[in-house]
Amino acid sequence: MSTKQKDKKAAIIISAILILSASLSLLCLLLPDRGSNAGDGYAAQIYQDGRLLYSIPLHDISESRTFTVENAEGGVNEIEVRPGSIGIISADCPDKICVRQGFITDTKLPITCLPNRLVILLRPLSDKAGDPPAPDVYTY
Amino acid sequence: MPIKKLTVLALFTTLSLAIYAVESAIPPLVPIPGFKLGLANIISLILLRNTSAKDAFLVLIARILLSALLFGQALSLLYSLAGGILSLLVMALVTKLLHKKMFFLTGALGGLAHNMGQLVIALIVTSTPGVAAYLPFLVLSGILTGLFTGLCGEYAGRYLPKPY
């Protein structure tokens, strides 16, 4: 096989890898949110250092309230829970990407504060399969 | 290392450090952790194209260590090293396979590898499997920004004289 043909083959394989992974990702992003047809809403789960700190059923929230979460090194995030949504409203991390992510209402993208190792994600209340063991604290 | 080569590589390190500094001063276009344009990667691509993978590696490591020293936190060093080294390994391999042609493919695969490396570190640091939900977004943004830096590297490299 000549060098030119080999080049062509390598280029085709690399393009195929790129196109395949890009289209799969696009499909994942465009696919309807899992649990959007589950009538009983979502639980917001707040993780720090991989530990589930709170699990909050969002449909039980009738008025907004805020609370803070602090990690072992003193990193602080202020979280606001609203009826049906949750977000970080202030943080002491340098980039504030977690605050700019705003409020989430579905399972698509979690909110992450990497410097404070805090993750907030929604999970359909009907989804029991993916549930980790009982959280440290329940809030209602 | 000959003085001329040393000087040229130092110059490229300075350039990539300057690009990195300018990019970090721009607020992120999309508020997703891990998303960035990765413009400093253009320097790696120019070096891969016009000199060697070894030079690109030296400049990359110097740039990551210097940027962590100048404006980083300890944590961002870990992310940069994982993403940067994985990306450069993949790009060096692709450069060899394609005989320094079609740099947009090299850039795209490098961008993809960079984001995958960073996602693995994010999974380890947060120890929360839910972080993997960013995967499709990071795959797409890695490929798109990589295509762009790949094209930049190709055209910049084409018009630059042989460095040494």
Side-chain angles (χ1 to χ4, degrees), chain B residues 84-117:
Chain B
I85 292 175
L86 189 64
S87 157
L88 195 65
L89 286 177
V90 167
M91 290 194 301
L93 185 74
V94 175
T95 309
K96 207 171 174 182
L97 281 176
L98 296 178
H99 297 98
K100 306 198 169 185
K101 293 200 183 71
M102 287 184 274
F103 258 74
F104 57 98
L105 289 181
T106 315
L109 215 60
L112 178 62
H114 178 271
N115 282 5
M116 293 307 98

Side-chain angles (χ1 to χ4, degrees), chain A residues 3 7 10-11 14-15 18 21-22 25-26 28-29 47 49-50 94 97 100-101 108-112 114-115 117 119 121, chain B residues 28 31-33 73 75 79 94 97-99 101-102 105 108-109 112 122 125-128 130-131 133-134 136 139-140 143:
Chain A
T3 330
D7 274 16
I14 292 165
S15 311
L18 289 172
S21 47
S25 306
L26 203 60
C28 282
L29 289 177
Y47 290 87
D49 290 316
I97 285 178
R100 293 194 52 213
Q101 279 188 270
K108 273 187 185 160
L109 284 182
I111 297 175
T112 304
L114 284 177
R117 299 182 305 280
V119 180
L121 50 89
Chain B
I32 301 284
Q73 319 120 353
L75 194 66
Y79 287 101
V94 175
L97 281 176
L98 296 178
H99 297 98
K101 293 200 183 71
M102 287 184 274
L105 289 181
L109 215 60
L112 178 62
V125 167
T126 61
S127 38
T128 310
V131 174
Y134 291 111
V139 167
L140 266 183
I143 291 176

Side-chain angles (χ1 to χ4, degrees), chain B:
Chain B
M1 194 184 280
I3 301 283
K4 177 137 195 223
K5 186 175 173 182
L6 186 68
T7 316
V8 166
L9 292 189
L11 190 64
F12 274 108
T13 307
T14 315
L15 263 175
S16 75
L17 199 59
I19 295 174
Y20 182 86
V22 169
E23 193 188 324
S24 359
I26 307 171
L29 301 172
V30 190
I32 301 284
F35 175 82
K36 61 175 180 180
L37 292 173
L39 297 178
N41 193 37
I42 295 173
I43 300 297
S44 300
L45 284 156
I46 293 175
L47 288 172
L48 278 175
R49 186 186 186 280
N50 290 6
T51 71
S52 67
K54 199 178 139 223
D55 290 353
F57 189 77
L58 287 174
V59 168
L60 175 79
I61 297 296
R63 193 259 296 166
I64 290 174
L65 293 180
L66 282 171
S67 64
L69 200 70
L70 291 176
F71 16 66
Q73 319 120 353
L75 194 66
S76 62
L77 178 67
L78 199 60
Y79 287 101
S80 305
L81 279 176
I85 292 175
L86 189 64
S87 157
L88 195 65
L89 286 177
V90 167
M91 290 194 301
L93 185 74
V94 175
T95 309
K96 207 171 174 182
L97 281 176
L98 296 178
H99 297 98
K100 306 198 169 185
K101 293 200 183 71
M102 287 184 274
F103 258 74
F104 57 98
L105 289 181
T106 315
L109 215 60
L112 178 62
H114 178 271
N115 282 5
M116 293 307 98
Q118 294 210 318
L119 186 64
V120 168
I121 297 294
L123 278 168
I124 295 169
V125 167
T126 61
S127 38
T128 310
V131 174
Y134 291 111
L135 180 73
F137 186 86
L138 289 177
V139 167
L140 266 183
S141 72
I143 291 176
L144 291 179
T145 56
L147 278 175
F148 176 71
T149 51
L151 285 173
C152 291
E154 163 76 41
Y155 285 104
R158 196 180 288 177
Y159 295 108
L160 280 174
K162 190 155 174 52
Y164 57 82

